[in-house]
Amino acid sequence: MAKLRPEWIALCTAAIGLAYSAGYVVTEPRPIAAAPASHSVQVQSDNRASASAGGESASEAEEHQGRTTQKKQNRTTATTIRKKSGYKDGTYSGQGMNRIGAVAVSVTIKQGKIASVQITDCTTSYPEIKIDQLPAQVVSRQNANVDNVSGATESTSDFVTAVAQALTQAKA
Amino acid sequence: MTVEKDFICMDTIVMIRVVSGKPKQEQVQSILRAAGQFYRVEQSCSRFDSGSELMRLPDKTDVPIRVSPVLFSAIQFAVSAAAETGGKFDPSIGRSLEKRGFNRNYLTGERIHSDEVHPAQATYRDIVVNPVNRTITLRKPMVIDLGAVAKGMAIDLAAAELRNEGYEHFLVNAGGDIFAAGRNEQKEPWKIGIRHPVHHDEIAGTVRLENAAICTSGGYERPSSVLPGEHHLLDPLSGHSPSQLSSCSVIAPFAMLADAFSTAAIVLGPDEGIKKMEEMGLDCLMITRDMNVTSTKKFKEAGSWNPVL
């Protein structure tokens, strides 16, 4: 690697150090057992199996998943805390279909803010048609001999429907 | 064991992969905490969320405003990068980007419209940072854009989080901007492809990285919705998208450096850009519109560059 000018090393070290340590001390006390997020993964798979929380039967849910592009979403866990953003704390899932296949996300709201949007399913079983712009993760999967791919920042348009579904639940 | 999780943040896909001997559940929890850094940075630095700290900054000019450590670090870094490039990289261009159609919140679809700014166009010189009091003073009204800084900074913070939890080998990829720590599952330096700027499911070549970041800028993913032929990158001095380069990748010890200077170098163009990267000590590879590849002298050696083109 080329030898980076020392003032830039100093500036970056200070910037990351300040931003990182402040997170611990002031705004983000470290969660001890961060249960909600891992829970959400579990809940997601539970939804797929039973889909009872949303008041729709499992067979109906399966049918939605299998045949249409409009998927159902379940509010999985929710407390009654509502903050300025209008989101209630909890974990919510959303699903959708798009050009790369089926996608599912799990959105966790903490203190009224989006704490994470995890992709819980991204089945890239795209059909034979030529797709212009595949996400890097798909490209890296196709190029089995690389660990990952660096490129211009891709947008998340493939996931918008799924995320919107989950956020609608969080606002309800 | 390798554990990988994918997230959506900052309008892109964030992938975190760790290789360690720890129990899987512990690795998952660590990945979630690392991902938390992205949401934290987004809540401070987003130009697309009227509720972010950045967009809630008071309109007042010439008054020092105390900001959070995250926002301060991002703005200070952006202003330093602007000074380094003589304004070819400039965080004061938020309002211009809004006008070019880059004002849509990717989660809600809402568009941000800031008030018309004063005719006297602000530049990075109108942002005064005070590290002692951690304040920002704006000398002219402006919307600050941290689009080429925040993602890189979040990658570095996620890496710091994982290191702090005892991980040596991991990969953080935020929409094509990557930090590669340690080695991959095969105990080799991580092998990273650089995306082909035209054929999107192909790669132009590969690099090998160990404890380094690589970020790639290009106009090919985000065209302007209102200006034909223009994209999300803007030359602040000409008022147009840079057109000579299709893609520019920078390898650096910090993702925030690689992020900001891959953007700066694409605006600087092939000649001036390579010169600046050599001068700073950054490794850079550029792909021109007519698919010529140029690089700094040490890029190929630094990344064991293996072209596919």
Side-chain angles (χ1 to χ4, degrees):
Chain A
M1 202 179 284
K3 198 174 185 316
L4 178 63
R5 280 216 321 255
E7 69 260 36
W8 280 103
I9 297 176
L11 183 64
C12 291
T13 306
I16 298 302
L18 173 66
Y20 182 69
S21 58
Y24 270 96
V25 179
V26 185
T27 54
E28 286 189 353
R30 184 167 162 161
I32 297 158
S38 67
H39 185 59
S40 71
V41 181
Q42 194 58 50
V43 168
Q44 183 67 48
S45 54
D46 287 348
N47 286 346
R48 309 201 121 220
S50 69
S52 56
E56 219 177 325
S57 78
S59 60
E60 280 169 339
E62 290 295 320
E63 192 170 300
H64 277 289
Q65 284 182 3
R67 299 198 187 145
T68 70
T69 57
Q70 281 295 313
K71 298 291 182 70
K72 71 186 293 292
Q73 76 282 352
N74 290 318
R75 202 175 86 196
T76 52
T77 58
T79 68
T80 51
I81 299 167
R82 189 192 279 260
K83 291 284 166 66
K84 280 175 219 157
S85 70
Y87 297 133
K88 287 183 292 184
D89 284 14
T91 300
Y92 310 87
S93 58
Q95 291 150 22
M97 288 288 288
N98 57 46
R99 64 199 170 89
I100 60 168
V103 296
V105 299
S106 171
V107 177
T108 299
I109 308 288
K110 283 181 188 168
Q111 295 178 316
K113 289 178 182 169
I114 296 172
S116 79
V117 180
Q118 194 175 337
I119 300 171
T120 49
D121 186 20
C122 182
T123 314
T124 52
S125 54
Y126 37 84
E128 307 291 303
I129 56 166
K130 176 71 182 164
I131 295 165
D132 293 338
Q133 299 184 10
L134 292 171
Q137 52 178 328
V138 179
V139 176
S140 69
R141 232 168 265 156
Q142 288 185 330
N143 292 275
N145 61 339
V146 299
D147 291 310
N148 231 295
V149 175
S150 176
T153 306
E154 304 148 317
S155 82
T156 52
S157 52
D158 289 321
F159 296 89
V160 161
T161 311
V163 175
Q165 276 189 357
L167 287 178
T168 304
Q169 291 294 298
K171 270 193 169 166
Chain B
M1 185 202 275
T2 302
V3 178
E4 178 181 324
K5 293 282 169 199
D6 299 301
F7 303 86
I8 293 171
C9 193
M10 301 180 176
D11 193 12
T12 200
I13 299 168
V14 176
M15 186 282 305
I16 302 178
R17 184 190 301 170
V18 296
V19 181
S20 107
K22 296 188 186 195
K24 183 182 178 186
Q25 202 50 37
E26 195 181 325
Q27 293 189 49
V28 170
Q29 295 309 325
S30 299
I31 288 173
L32 289 166
R33 277 193 286 275
Q37 295 288 348
F38 280 87
Y39 297 94
R40 198 172 145 238
V41 172
E42 185 175 40
Q43 278 154 19
S44 283
C45 300
S46 174
R47 186 168 59 74
F48 304 95
D49 177 0
S50 55
S52 73
E53 186 187 3
L54 178 71
M55 296 308 281
R56 284 189 288 109
L57 288 182
D59 282 337
K60 287 180 188 149
T61 52
D62 296 317
V63 178
I65 305 159
R66 191 170 161 87
V67 297
S68 72
V70 168
L71 187 57
F72 183 83
S73 290
I75 292 176
Q76 183 185 34
F77 178 85
V79 171
S80 304
E84 177 75 49
T85 58
K88 282 290 198 175
F89 176 94
D90 194 325
S92 70
I93 59 170
R95 179 69 189 131
S96 302
L97 292 174
E98 278 182 18
K99 278 188 186 164
R100 296 162 68 87
F102 299 99
N103 61 342
R104 186 176 174 279
N105 184 297
Y106 69 100
L107 291 177
T108 62
E110 287 163 358
R111 288 190 181 269
I112 297 261
H113 297 281
S114 302
D115 297 336
E116 277 297 333
V117 292
H118 197 264
Q121 186 67 44
T123 74
Y124 72 94
R125 293 184 184 86
D126 301 307
I127 307 171
V128 181
V129 296
N130 181 336
V132 177
N133 301 323
R134 221 174 69 217
T135 59
I136 305 293
T137 308
L138 302 182
R139 297 199 297 202
K140 286 180 187 168
M142 70 175 82
V143 175
I144 294 177
D145 175 68
L146 296 169
V149 172
K151 186 149 40 63
M153 189 165 96
I155 293 170
D156 287 331
L157 289 171
E161 184 80 62
L162 290 169
R163 284 232 171 81
N164 191 44
E165 304 213 358
Y167 296 91
E168 288 173 54
H169 309 286
F170 55 85
L171 199 64
V172 179
N173 181 348
D177 291 346
I178 293 170
F179 189 89
R183 298 193 160 202
N184 67 12
E185 296 88 334
Q186 289 78 40
K187 298 189 165 47
E188 294 166 342
W190 295 93
K191 191 175 184 183
I192 308 296
I194 291 177
R195 195 163 180 165
H196 193 295
V198 178
H199 304 294
H200 293 279
D201 48 357
E202 293 173 18
I203 54 178
T206 59
V207 292
R208 288 279 186 178
L209 296 183
E210 190 172 353
N211 300 319
I214 182 166
C215 296
T216 298
S217 283
Y220 52 83
E221 281 284 349
R222 294 179 190 238
S224 169
S225 57
V226 293
L227 297 169
E230 298 276 296
H231 51 73
H232 76 288
L233 299 170
L234 174 65
D235 180 342
L237 305 180
S238 76
H240 292 285
S241 290
S243 58
Q244 284 179 282
L245 296 171
S246 289
S247 161
C248 174
S249 303
V250 170
I251 297 175
F254 293 89
M256 69 193 298
L257 263 180
D259 190 3
F261 283 98
S262 58
T263 301
I266 212 166
V267 174
L268 286 164
D271 300 334
E272 217 185 319
I274 291 287
K275 198 175 145 206
K276 173 54 77 178
M277 297 302 101
E278 296 277 18
E279 181 195 319
M280 286 183 69
L282 290 169
D283 298 302
C284 174
L285 180 114
M286 295 171 162
I287 303 175
T288 63
R289 285 268 291 238
D290 41 11
M291 298 310 292
N292 284 318
V293 176
T294 57
S295 71
T296 52
K297 290 186 195 80
K298 288 189 174 160
F299 182 92
K300 293 175 184 181
E301 160 205 341
S304 308
W305 169 244
N306 184 17
V308 175
L309 271 180

